[in-house]
Amino acid sequence: MAARKRASASTETSNEKSLSTAEKTNHKPQESTDPPIAPPKSAFIFKLALLLLAPYFYLLFYHYKIQDDLKRSILINAILSLAGFFLTVKMIPVASRYVLRRNLFGYDINKKGTPQGTVKVPESLGIVVGIVFLVLAILFQYFNFTADSNWLVEYNAALACICFMTLLGFVDDVLDLPWRVKLLLPSIAALPLLMAYAGHTTILIPKPLVPYVGHDILDLGWLYKLYMGLLVVFCTNSINIHAGINGLEVGQTVVIASAIIIHNVMQIGASVDPEYQQAHAFSVYLTQPLLATSMALLSYNWYPSSVFVGDTYTYFAGMTMAVVGILGHFSETLLIFFLPQVINFLLSLPQLSGYVYCPRHRLPRFDPQTGLLTGTNDGTVVNVYLRIFGRKSEKSLCIHLLLVQAIGCCFCFLLRYLLAGWYK
């Protein structure tokens, strides 16, 4: 949940009444009342892209010998994703004006008591990312899938889930749904995937655990689909609750998405099974546009945020990563990539379940005199990190938490490839 506070309904109603006459008389001046948002932080995004994508391109073009047809599809998808990045950068300022016009904005709670805390920040800009992503994913079908492709049904089911979740996320932003409803939304959005899924229902047992389990492969049957549904619910909500500071929601998605595409390329390069390679390529086809559009959003959402992403983005991002993990057949590895989110969920469980009082915003306390955040007793990784390591500025805290996310992904690679050995 973003670190923002919406204006009260009474205030906005009175403002609308006072401005209604002017709007009816001359609509154009009202459109330019709110100042334009700050320009994107392009230099920061360029450096971040080099840092995160350098290992990916090294593995794809140098380390592994990947089939030309498969590499061609990945490159076409990458070019479309790059176009999606620039399109998203251009569309966000336009969409910001529209959401501000409809009073869909908030105030940054972590800047309360400072001039920045009184600025109207447009929110729910995740809708732009979701729309651009879906357009890219649909266009990519023309270059990669034929009408009789075995993967086309699951690909379209994945897009249906993502589209459904984006819509429900935007509904949540507008209606501000309670937590018990938020937990049900991903279950509804996952139905197209669960109904269309025709893959295996087995999981691969890590080599160190094989002597204890007695099998290399374990067939879960219908329990696997139940697991898929629960994974979707966890991924969509875990991004949403590990939030509250500028750049954290999008930043953690960018880090995890980078780890996912690196993992997929490693699996494609190490395998000789065409179907297994195609499953991981399928994951790349959806993760690359997610990463590109998310970086575009991060250029506006990085500290100090000029836009808020809203539940629209957190639900969209969580659903997309859950879908690629399930259809790419690496859902167990995906959970390890989500290690900070798992810890955050466990810390949040007493409050989310109602056992301990849960305030509306479980955010750190901001001191306007020093500009530093102090951890509260709320059960979140953000607050626990501040209680352990002391007060920090919002930007510094976000960088630290993203480094923790990156360390968690590195731990996953260590566990997945060095300690547990290859699954196949």
Side-chain angles (χ1 to χ4, degrees), residues 347-358:
L347 292 172
S348 302
L349 200 54
Q351 289 183 308
L352 297 180
S353 62
Y355 182 76
V356 177
Y357 170 71
C358 182

Side-chain angles (χ1 to χ4, degrees), residues 176-207:
D176 208 8
L177 301 175
W179 266 107
R180 59 182 179 273
V181 178
K182 293 183 179 184
L183 292 175
L184 292 176
L185 293 182
S187 303
I188 298 172
L191 288 177
L193 178 62
L194 296 177
M195 295 300 103
Y197 184 76
H200 63 74
T201 57
T202 59
I203 60 173
L204 299 169
I205 307 300
K207 288 183 179 180

Side-chain angles (χ1 to χ4, degrees), residues 231-363:
L231 180 65
V232 168
V233 173
F234 169 76
C235 289
T236 51
N237 284 285
S238 64
I239 298 292
N240 191 38
I241 64 177
H242 185 41
I245 59 177
N246 291 174
L248 183 56
E249 297 99 320
V250 193
Q252 62 185 294
T253 302
V254 167
V255 173
I256 297 173
S258 301
I260 288 174
I261 61 173
I262 291 173
H263 168 70
N264 284 318
V265 170
M266 293 176 72
Q267 290 295 288
I268 293 171
S271 176
V272 294
D273 183 357
E275 184 175 354
Y276 186 75
Q277 290 179 334
Q278 188 60 47
H280 284 280
F282 182 96
S283 175
V284 173
Y285 300 153
L286 293 177
T287 308
Q288 285 188 148
L290 169 66
L291 180 60
T293 53
S294 294
M295 281 190 168
L297 181 58
L298 184 61
S299 68
Y300 291 98
N301 185 242
W302 188 250
Y303 181 91
S305 292
S306 53
V307 301
F308 288 146
V309 301
D311 293 341
T312 308
Y313 176 79
T314 58
Y315 286 164
F316 153 77
M319 174 61 79
T320 304
M321 290 188 285
V323 164
V324 301
I326 292 170
L327 297 182
H329 307 306
F330 61 93
S331 55
E332 304 95 327
T333 302
L334 180 67
L335 274 179
I336 308 178
F337 285 146
F338 273 76
L339 185 58
Q341 287 74 19
V342 172
I343 296 173
N344 188 67
F345 173 75
L346 295 176
L347 292 172
S348 302
L349 200 54
Q351 289 183 308
L352 297 180
S353 62
Y355 182 76
V356 177
Y357 170 71
C358 182
R360 176 173 176 78
H361 298 292
R362 301 184 303 156
L363 300 175

Side-chain angles (χ1 to χ4, degrees), residues 40 42 45-46 78-94 128 132 136 289 291-297 299-300:
S42 304
I45 294 301
F46 179 73
I79 293 172
L80 285 173
S81 300
L82 183 61
F85 170 84
F86 291 109
L87 180 60
T88 305
V89 169
K90 292 295 183 183
M91 285 184 61
I92 286 177
V94 178
V128 175
V132 174
L136 296 176
L291 180 60
T293 53
S294 294
M295 281 190 168
L297 181 58
S299 68
Y300 291 98

